[in-house]
Amino acid sequence: MVLLGGYTLSQVTSRESARRILGRAIPEITDFDHAFAAHYDELLSTAASPSAASGFKLSFYPVQVTLKPTDVINHSPAEVRQTLLQRTADTVYDKGINAFSRDGKPVRLGSSGVFSGPWAFSKALSVLNPGTHKRVVSVTKIALGVAAFLGLIIVLLGREYNRIVVFSMALLFAAVPGLAVGGAVWLGVQLVFGTSSDPLIGGTSDIMRDVAWYVVLSYLIYVALSVGLVILGFMLERISDMIANSGDPARAREYRQT
């Protein structure tokens, strides 16, 4: 269970996955598309100025990201938008809620209480960051070593037991609770946040829902794999019994009767 949970979370908290998840939520949280369209001409003129040769930041944008002239010049608006969105997602992934600081100081939630929109947004971003990813990867490596050691014990002591069925049932027992938890979190986000008109709450729910849905899909794969291996194990066992009994007519008749 720890191995599957750690592996799943290590995948969803990786930079590549977080970039996709944050990239879908940022336009709603920051009013990205409106700001991009309204200031696109300003963006072009800034990129073309000599002072921007080593990189420039956007004064109108709530996240402090750096672009280079080569990211803008000779590129279509759609390509520039994608580049800016990717840089924004990377910055938010690295800095969390502090990516929205205008002066470089840590962002304080002030009077925002527990379960408020800013609090939920901060907690959602605390899941998708390099620190969480690194810790989860470390736990996963330890769990992999322990699982491999226990698997070796089963191989050595299993003797006549169908090892494929034993391992696949262990996988199934570990996957079903994770699937239930992922589904419960996804449903809980739907019920608690719903389709709020608040951009911050809506973006937060998008992040949490995407993470939960990633977990659900991953565990569905684990469950399907384990069920397939269980079926394969019983089929191989039956074929092996048929081959072993085919040379003994008496045992073959007894086998067919059973």
Side-chain angles (χ1 to χ4, degrees):
M1 291 178 67
V2 175
L3 175 59
L4 290 184
Y7 175 76
T8 303
L9 291 178
S10 69
Q11 295 299 303
V12 75
T13 58
S14 67
R15 183 174 295 274
E16 292 74 17
S17 295
R19 183 180 289 164
R20 291 192 296 270
I21 294 173
L22 293 172
R24 286 191 290 267
I26 285 171
E28 182 176 5
I29 296 171
T30 62
D31 196 20
F32 178 92
D33 288 312
H34 179 268
F36 180 77
H39 296 274
Y40 184 71
D41 291 338
E42 177 185 342
L43 175 61
L44 291 178
S45 61
T46 302
S49 65
S51 61
S54 60
F56 62 94
K57 294 184 179 180
L58 309 177
S59 59
F60 62 87
Y61 196 53
V63 180
Q64 296 299 299
V65 298
T66 301
L67 294 178
K68 294 182 178 180
T70 53
D71 296 326
V72 179
I73 299 174
N74 297 326
H75 289 282
S76 67
E79 291 173 331
V80 177
R81 178 189 181 278
Q82 184 60 34
T83 299
L84 179 58
L85 192 58
Q86 179 177 314
R87 299 287 171 80
T88 305
D90 286 339
T91 302
V92 173
Y93 179 71
D94 290 327
K95 297 182 179 181
I97 197 172
N98 292 326
F100 297 90
S101 173
R102 302 297 297 179
D103 55 7
K105 297 180 180 180
V107 174
R108 301 189 180 279
L109 300 181
S111 59
S112 300
V114 178
F115 301 119
S116 65
W119 178 87
F121 181 56
S122 176
K123 293 303 179 182
L125 295 185
S126 69
V127 174
L128 298 177
N129 66 61
T132 300
H133 177 69
K134 184 177 181 179
R135 289 190 292 271
V136 171
V137 169
S138 298
V139 171
T140 304
K141 290 179 178 179
I142 296 173
L144 177 60
V146 175
F149 176 73
L150 295 176
L152 179 61
I153 293 178
I154 291 177
V155 169
L156 296 176
L157 301 181
R159 296 184 181 181
E160 300 299 327
Y161 292 106
N162 189 324
R163 293 183 178 87
I164 295 179
V165 174
V166 170
F167 286 123
S168 56
M169 289 301 295
L171 177 62
L172 180 62
F173 290 150
V176 170
L179 178 61
V181 170
V185 171
W186 183 86
L187 182 61
V189 172
Q190 295 283 86
L191 294 176
V192 173
F193 292 100
T195 55
S196 174
S197 59
D198 187 328
L200 183 61
I201 295 178
T204 301
S205 66
D206 287 343
I207 294 173
M208 298 175 66
R209 188 164 44 242
D210 283 350
V211 171
W213 187 242
Y214 187 101
V215 172
V216 169
L217 291 179
S218 298
Y219 274 91
L220 282 174
I221 294 174
Y222 303 150
V223 169
L225 177 62
S226 60
V227 171
L229 288 175
V230 169
I231 296 173
L232 176 63
F234 282 125
M235 289 178 60
L236 292 177
E237 181 179 0
R238 186 169 183 83
I239 293 173
S240 177
D241 290 341
M242 292 175 61
I243 294 174
N245 294 326
S246 62
D248 188 340
R251 293 182 60 187
R253 285 195 299 270
E254 181 181 353
Y255 178 77
R256 286 193 296 269
Q257 291 174 357
T258 57

